[in-house]
Amino acid sequence: MDDRSGGGGAAAGGGGGGGGNDREGCGVVDPVAALGPVGPPGRTGYLPGLLLTAGAVTDLFDGARWPWFGWAGLLAVSALYAAVVTRDLSPPRYAGRGLLWLLAAQAALTTVLALVYGDTWVFLFMMAALACGTALPTVPLVGALIVLGGAAGVIAGHRGDALWLPMVSGYGTFISGVMVSALLGLNETVRELRRTREELALAAVDRERLRFARDLHDLLGHSMSVIVVKAEAVRRLAPRDAAAAAAQAADIEEVGRRSLTEIREAVSGYREDGLTRELERAVPALEGAGIAVSVRRSGPPVPARAEAVLGWVVREAVTNVLRHSGAASAELSVEHADGTVRVTVADDGGGGPAPGGGPREGRRDGPRERRGGGHGLAGLGERLALAGGRLESGTLPGGGFRVVAELPVADGEALLP
């Protein structure tokens, strides 16, 4: 159960194990499937850029000079463009040395064709810009687009073509490369965000499963401890006091029924028992085990959210007193002052058998177990840490064991996330 128990972690361990199938079995929608497929852009996504050759094709059909050269050059430029844009564009997509040679060859051949034919052949620079946008990082891309856009504008203006062509060619070339690079960058960002969303969704599912496992572990540990103590009392009392043994057996029945209700509430997420209720339950449980108990409270009422967290502290600490202390007396105190609630559970036990009876079955007694590295106090420490509090535990100089939990509160409410 805790630092004094070597076992009791089966519920927590079982709750934390498993894989994706367990999530589906619990009725949790698989977040990965819910997000839908996420992949790199299609390899044919930028092939429509070949439509920029339409003007050159029309020019060749209209009887441009050296048609064989024009057709060969146009096919070569198109092949180079297709080779660049149909590769895998998922990260890392930036150019290696071989890809840089393809881009350089496309830019050089585009320049030659534009110088020879002019007019709409200048639009081939936009194809080169699109190819660069898929392959170059930001800084090299800007430099390449300035060169390509400038070359398109200068060639169009030098040939004395229509006045609008230099401006459209230069600006269109530059903006084409920028837009392709921006779209690919946006695609990569969206994919990264989706991947992060998957991880957060899985983490949320795991946190909820851990919370439920911790609750179930604490609930069952406390209830089973009370049932074991009372069953021992029934065994001792049955030979000499049947009425008292029957009363203890009735208590066992009541604890069992209450445990079933608590487990159902924990599964539904509606468990609301807090500090006050746990203190009320602790007194008869300890007294039934032959442990004298005193409860002290001071300060204003504890806020509801703080009560919920500190209730687990009392439950777990009392369970450990019942199971592992062998104490004759225990003291529970709640102090609320200066914006902090302090809960203390102390006993005078030494890890031996319970008063008035033999060693409890399944016990691992002794000081070492009382200081061991169990699961209960570790779980309480996690609860309090999430709420901004802290937990201390250890043996007392004169013998016994003490658990102290402190939780800050402000404006009448616990400092919970």
Side-chain angles (χ1 to χ4, degrees):
M1 287 296 296
D2 70 358
D3 291 353
R4 296 187 281 180
S5 166
N21 291 336
D22 291 338
R23 295 186 181 92
E24 295 174 0
C26 293
V28 180
V29 177
D30 185 354
V32 177
L35 290 173
V38 179
R43 291 178 178 268
T44 60
Y46 293 102
L47 284 182
L50 291 172
L51 293 174
L52 291 169
T53 63
V57 170
T58 301
D59 194 27
L60 289 172
F61 276 117
D62 287 343
R65 57 180 177 172
W66 306 329
W68 58 269
F69 176 76
W71 282 113
L74 197 58
L75 290 174
V77 167
S78 299
L80 291 169
Y81 172 80
V84 173
V85 301
T86 57
R87 76 188 193 283
D88 184 8
L89 295 179
S90 58
R93 60 179 173 84
Y94 296 131
R97 179 171 297 181
L99 201 56
L100 288 175
W101 280 112
L102 292 179
L103 292 173
Q106 182 183 354
L109 187 53
T110 296
T111 301
V112 172
L113 292 173
L115 285 171
V116 172
Y117 294 101
D119 200 12
T120 53
W121 289 73
V122 178
F123 290 149
L124 297 181
F125 279 105
M126 295 184 187
M127 280 179 53
L130 292 175
C132 289
T134 67
L136 298 178
T138 302
V139 175
L141 175 63
V142 171
L145 294 180
I146 290 175
V147 172
L148 290 174
V154 168
I155 292 174
H158 177 72
R159 289 185 54 85
D161 295 317
L163 294 179
W164 57 269
L165 191 57
M167 182 177 63
V168 170
S169 300
Y171 177 77
T173 298
F174 184 86
I175 204 65
S176 296
V178 169
M179 289 184 64
V180 168
S181 180
L183 287 173
L184 286 173
L186 180 61
N187 179 271
E188 293 169 8
T189 301
V190 170
R191 288 165 54 212
E192 185 63 30
L193 289 174
R194 288 188 175 183
R195 189 179 302 113
T196 302
R197 182 182 173 188
E198 293 174 13
E199 295 172 356
L200 291 175
L202 291 173
V205 171
D206 289 337
R207 283 197 303 270
E208 179 61 18
R209 295 179 69 222
L210 178 60
R211 181 201 65 80
F212 175 73
R214 186 187 295 123
D215 288 358
L216 192 62
H217 166 264
D218 293 346
L219 285 170
L220 290 178
H222 176 80
S223 300
M224 293 301 102
S225 296
V226 174
I227 288 173
V228 168
V229 170
K230 290 188 175 292
E232 291 174 350
V234 171
R235 176 170 52 81
R236 294 194 304 270
L237 292 170
R240 60 178 186 271
D241 191 342
Q248 293 290 341
D251 288 344
I252 292 175
E253 181 181 359
E254 174 60 25
V255 171
R257 293 181 184 278
R258 188 174 67 234
S259 298
L260 287 174
T261 301
E262 290 174 343
I263 291 171
R264 292 189 185 102
E265 291 173 348
V267 170
S268 302
Y270 295 122
R271 177 170 171 79
E272 297 179 353
D273 287 346
L275 177 61
T276 301
R277 182 58 176 155
E278 293 300 339
L279 289 173
E280 294 173 354
R281 290 176 176 173
V283 173
L286 291 169
E287 290 178 345
I291 301 174
V293 58
S294 63
V295 179
R296 296 186 297 106
R297 297 194 67 162
S298 62
V302 178
R305 297 179 71 185
E307 277 236 353
V309 176
L310 296 174
W312 288 107
V313 175
V314 173
R315 170 181 282 266
E316 182 64 29
V318 169
T319 298
N320 294 321
V321 174
L322 290 170
R323 293 186 62 184
H324 310 293
S325 71
S329 64
E331 180 179 333
L332 286 67
S333 68
V334 179
E335 304 172 51
H336 184 186
D338 300 325
T340 300
V341 181
R342 179 186 176 95
V343 174
T344 304
V345 179
D347 65 71
D348 62 356
R360 295 167 185 158
E361 297 180 5
R363 285 268 311 277
R364 279 186 275 180
D365 295 317
R368 176 174 298 178
E369 290 304 314
R370 291 167 61 80
R371 295 190 298 269
H375 300 278
L377 291 185
L380 290 180
E382 293 173 2
R383 290 179 187 273
L384 287 166
L386 289 173
R390 64 189 184 93
L391 182 77
E392 294 180 356
S393 62
T395 55
L396 298 173
F401 198 86
R402 179 173 62 186
V403 175
V404 180
E406 292 185 351
L407 183 64
V409 295
D411 299 328
E413 194 55 82
L415 298 176
L416 298 178

